[in-house]
Amino acid sequence: MHQENLSYISAVVTTAVLLVACSYFVIQRAYPRPLAGIPYNQASAKRLFGDGPELAEYTQKGRSLRTWFVDQAERHNSAITQIFLGPFSSPAVVVSDYREVNDILSHRDGVDFKRGTKVDAFRGVIPHAFPAMETFDPEFRGSRNIARDLMTPSVLHAVNAPRIYDVACHLLDLWGVKSRLAGGRPFDVSNDVGEFAFDAVVSAAFGLGPQGGDIKYQHEQLAKLACNNDSSSISKADHDTDFPISFPAAPRSAKLDSLRIDEESLRQSFMVPWPRLYHFFNSLRPSVRAARRILRGYVASQIIKAVPGLRDGTQNPQCALDYVIQRELRAAATAGRTPALADPRILDPIYAYLIAGHDTTMASLLWLIRRLVAHPAEQDRLRESLKVTYPEAWRERRLPTVAELIKVHSPYMEAFIEETLRCDTPVVNVLVVTRHDTIVLGHRLPRDTRVFLSLTGASLTRPSIPVAEADRRATSGAYSTVSRDNWDAAAPEEFRPERWLKESRGTMPVFDASAGPGLAFSAGNRGCWGKRLGYLELRIVLALLVWRFVFGISDKFSSWEPIDSLAISPKHCIIKIREISYE
């Protein structure tokens, strides 16, 4: 009996020791395991949740999560740092150096790096569009080619520009009414800009029809109040003339609400470690299922409406969707097959066109407006440059036409846009993952290491961090398209549109896009596909807004606090608008 008790006790003790050892091993594995030689936050390496508590504190203060990543380079005085994003998670790396980021995006994407979880995030919303594919995926090139025609200058000028111009004019009308009703008081324009961006991309993609879009509807409803002298629904809760006025808002279209639900789903999936699992459960929500049914149903209905005229040749392409349909009809005729117009490989690229064209345009335009009010001298200079660029419109006291805006560009406006995109990049970083063990700035990164490539910060909007040339790859400088690798000698933290201008033989300086580094549209084969459309839209709407209005701001609402969405935008855009009279 005694022997049996000893055996029992021995077994219990052995089991307990094994459990303790296993638990210790598991717990130790849960703690961060730093990569050799790369700077990191020492306190975070000793915490089970790594940098998680610091990130949580950062967001609780209302600060943008993504800017925390950019701050690490300055914090450690290193162009490469590592961060710890949670238990059992391998260290992630942050690269904050223009040359290295540009080299990875331009020459190493699809070779040393893949998109990893970012692809999984897109697959939950647009599984058959190229953002949801790796660069080395055999279907990647074909998916991009489906909408290849949409970014050619001929299509952009003939189709997109007139539609963007029309929607921008509706925005001018809406803000004209609001400025008169506000009587010099400020109001928040964030929702208006979001609706403008949606109307502009939908108009370019499908056409808005005779009923117009959300912005036109908002203008019509507010104009009725103005005509009837009905100001009862306009909130003036404070007698302070700097206190914002609130206007009644007509209901948003179901299409816009649906797009925003999918945009939020996409944003959330970027923030979690397992995007596929998130999308599986998120897609079960009734609101998500309804949103996708509404917008995809609308796309399908527009295809049905457009096919007959495009097939028999009685109708030329009138919008982006028409060009995609026409390409598929011709491909099917050549191959002797039935057009696959209901194929998700056709539909998803159009849906991606909507998502990409809405959120980033909205953010960029909000930052442009924010810069206008923060820099009144530059706003005045921009307005004067437009008068010089479009002298006939100025003499005739009218808005520049869309043809004039396409034909001639104001150098200073180009510089103003470029400087805003440099200082207020809507997308702060790009996530890539190593495909195998590889070297970045002299440090070995194991396979499947997440790497955040900063599109702002050191060398772009802050002083650069020195990097030994021996730690760089030969390709990082061999194919440079800019005249410098950083803005260190030109006050990188200051807003100076003139940095993008150079003297010419003529009377006016010319815009020089290669004056220095910028990554607002990323770079390489995966750079922003809609870059040309984005520039076109910003040029048209900015020219019209500055021509028609003077923008101001109260010191009470001069905060630069950003908010995270798919693209980073100002948390508030509360401004004063004064209409310019040309009579």
Side-chain angles (χ1 to χ4, degrees):
M1 178 70 71
H2 179 68
Q3 186 66 35
E4 290 179 0
N5 287 339
L6 286 177
S7 297
Y8 175 75
I9 293 172
S10 177
V12 170
V13 170
T14 301
T15 303
V17 170
L18 288 173
L19 286 174
V20 170
C22 289
S23 299
Y24 177 79
F25 176 77
V26 170
I27 291 173
Q28 287 300 111
R29 292 286 295 176
Y31 274 84
R33 300 183 301 282
L35 299 171
I38 302 177
Y40 57 88
N41 300 327
Q42 297 290 330
S44 299
K46 301 174 183 177
R47 292 193 293 246
L48 181 64
F49 289 91
D51 288 301
E54 188 173 313
L55 285 166
E57 182 181 353
Y58 209 78
T59 55
Q60 285 172 2
K61 293 179 180 179
R63 303 181 68 184
S64 168
L65 188 66
R66 298 179 196 179
T67 55
W68 180 89
F69 287 74
V70 177
D71 292 339
Q72 299 312 299
E74 187 174 339
R75 181 175 182 174
H76 299 289
N77 193 34
S78 175
I80 181 170
T81 58
Q82 60 181 312
I83 57 177
F84 313 116
L85 299 178
F88 301 103
S89 176
S90 300
V93 168
V94 181
V95 178
S96 303
D97 177 82
Y98 166 75
R99 272 181 63 182
E100 189 67 16
V101 169
N102 187 63
D103 182 47
I104 290 173
L105 292 172
S106 300
H107 306 116
R108 304 178 68 182
D109 184 51
V111 180
D112 297 326
F113 295 90
K114 59 183 179 180
R115 295 294 158 140
T117 55
K118 187 174 181 180
V119 164
D120 292 336
F122 278 112
R123 279 178 183 157
V125 180
I126 44 175
H128 300 282
F130 63 84
M133 301 173 187
E134 294 287 2
T135 309
F136 47 84
D137 189 321
E139 295 186 10
F140 174 77
R141 187 180 297 274
S143 180
R144 287 196 69 153
N145 285 342
I146 287 174
R148 184 177 61 191
D149 298 335
L150 304 185
M151 293 301 142
T152 60
S154 58
V155 173
L156 290 173
H157 294 166
V159 175
N160 295 70
R163 294 176 182 273
I164 293 168
Y165 186 91
D166 288 344
V167 176
C169 287
H170 291 312
L171 181 64
L172 298 185
D173 293 340
L174 174 62
W175 283 2
V177 174
K178 285 190 173 184
S179 69
R180 291 190 289 274
L181 291 174
R185 296 181 65 164
F187 54 91
D188 197 333
V189 300
S190 301
N191 287 336
D192 293 342
V193 171
E195 291 180 353
F196 161 78
F198 179 73
D199 284 355
V201 72
V202 170
S203 180
F206 315 114
L208 291 173
Q211 75 279 8
D214 284 43
I215 285 292
K216 181 181 179 183
Y217 183 62
Q218 295 285 359
H219 169 243
E220 290 171 348
Q221 298 305 305
L222 196 60
K224 289 179 182 177
L225 294 178
C227 289
N228 297 330
N229 292 319
D230 180 7
S231 60
S232 59
S233 56
I234 300 175
S235 173
K236 298 180 181 178
D238 197 293
H239 293 294
D240 184 354
T241 55
D242 282 336
F243 192 83
I245 189 170
S246 178
F247 294 99
R252 288 191 310 213
S253 67
K255 296 192 294 294
L256 175 53
D257 282 335
S258 299
L259 183 65
R260 289 198 163 174
I261 287 173
D262 261 349
E263 287 175 344
E264 179 60 18
S265 296
L266 194 55
R267 186 187 76 84
Q268 291 286 352
S269 69
F270 287 143
M271 309 299 289
V272 299
W274 302 287
R276 290 188 183 186
L277 187 62
Y278 166 80
H279 280 304
F280 174 79
F281 288 105
N282 186 57
S283 63
L284 300 177
R285 293 169 53 206
S287 60
V288 173
R289 296 170 68 178
R292 293 177 183 175
R293 185 170 58 250
I294 289 171
L295 209 46
R296 283 169 171 76
Y298 179 75
V299 174
S301 69
Q302 296 304 299
I303 290 175
I304 293 172
K305 186 185 299 184
V307 165
L310 293 170
R311 177 175 278 150
D312 61 22
T314 59
Q315 176 183 316
N316 292 321
Q318 301 294 316
C319 60
L321 181 62
D322 288 354
Y323 280 93
V324 173
I325 293 171
Q326 185 182 71
R327 172 177 280 273
E328 173 58 17
L329 291 174
R330 289 174 176 174
T334 301
R337 59 173 174 81
T338 302
L341 295 174
D343 192 323
R345 289 174 294 184
I346 301 291
L347 300 178
D348 278 6
I350 291 295
Y351 200 57
Y353 181 92
L354 293 178
I355 292 175
H358 175 247
D359 210 64
T360 52
T361 297
M362 177 179 71
S364 298
L365 183 52
L366 285 171
W367 285 121
L368 281 171
I369 294 171
R370 194 68 190 75
R371 287 292 172 181
L372 286 173
V373 299
H375 303 280
E378 284 76 7
Q379 181 185 161
D380 291 341
R381 182 176 174 184
L382 173 55
R383 190 172 292 107
E384 290 304 313
S385 76
L386 290 173
K387 293 176 184 177
V388 173
T389 305
Y390 308 109
E392 289 188 17
W394 172 242
R395 284 196 301 270
E396 297 170 9
R397 299 297 190 263
R398 59 169 175 81
L399 291 172
T401 65
V402 65
E404 290 171 328
L405 292 173
I406 291 171
K407 185 178 180 180
V408 184
H409 300 158
S410 158
Y412 191 77
M413 183 173 70
E414 298 284 291
F416 192 95
I417 292 172
E418 198 69 31
E419 182 69 350
T420 300
L421 293 175
R422 183 189 73 87
C423 294
D424 307 304
T425 306
V427 179
V428 170
N429 51 46
V430 171
L431 173 63
V432 296
V433 179
T434 55
R435 296 186 67 186
H436 46 73
D437 290 6
T438 192
I439 303 296
V440 173
L441 291 179
H443 298 276
R444 190 185 72 84
L445 304 186
R447 177 182 177 179
D448 291 330
T449 298
R450 288 168 294 174
V451 181
F452 292 90
L453 305 175
S454 298
L455 305 183
T456 185
S459 73
L460 290 158
T461 57
R462 301 178 187 178
S464 63
I465 311 272
V467 174
E469 199 63 30
D471 291 335
R472 297 189 184 276
R473 289 165 53 97
T475 53
S476 72
Y479 304 102
S480 177
T481 59
V482 297
S483 58
R484 65 179 84 191
D485 297 328
N486 58 64
W487 291 104
D488 291 358
E493 294 170 300
E494 294 183 13
F495 183 79
R496 292 184 180 179
E498 60 272 14
R499 74 174 74 239
W500 300 99
L501 299 174
K502 67 178 182 180
E503 296 301 321
S504 69
R505 295 179 180 178
T507 57
M508 294 176 60
V510 297
F511 172 67
D512 180 13
S514 64
L519 288 169
F521 291 94
S522 190
N525 199 33
R526 301 297 294 251
C528 179
W529 171 76
K531 179 178 179 178
R532 289 178 177 175
L533 175 60
Y535 274 124
L536 176 68
E537 192 165 344
L538 294 178
R539 286 189 198 109
I540 290 174
V541 69
L542 181 62
L544 296 181
L545 288 175
V546 173
W547 192 278
R548 179 82 172 269
F549 302 109
V550 174
F551 297 89
I553 195 170
S554 166
D555 290 340
K556 295 180 181 180
F557 307 107
S558 58
S559 169
W560 289 90
E561 198 174 338
I563 186 170
D564 283 326
S565 185
L566 274 184
I568 289 183
S569 59
K571 194 169 187 178
H572 301 289
C573 199
I574 299 173
I575 61 174
K576 295 181 178 181
I577 295 179
R578 177 172 60 83
E579 197 167 5
I580 299 173
S581 175
Y582 288 104
E583 296 180 358

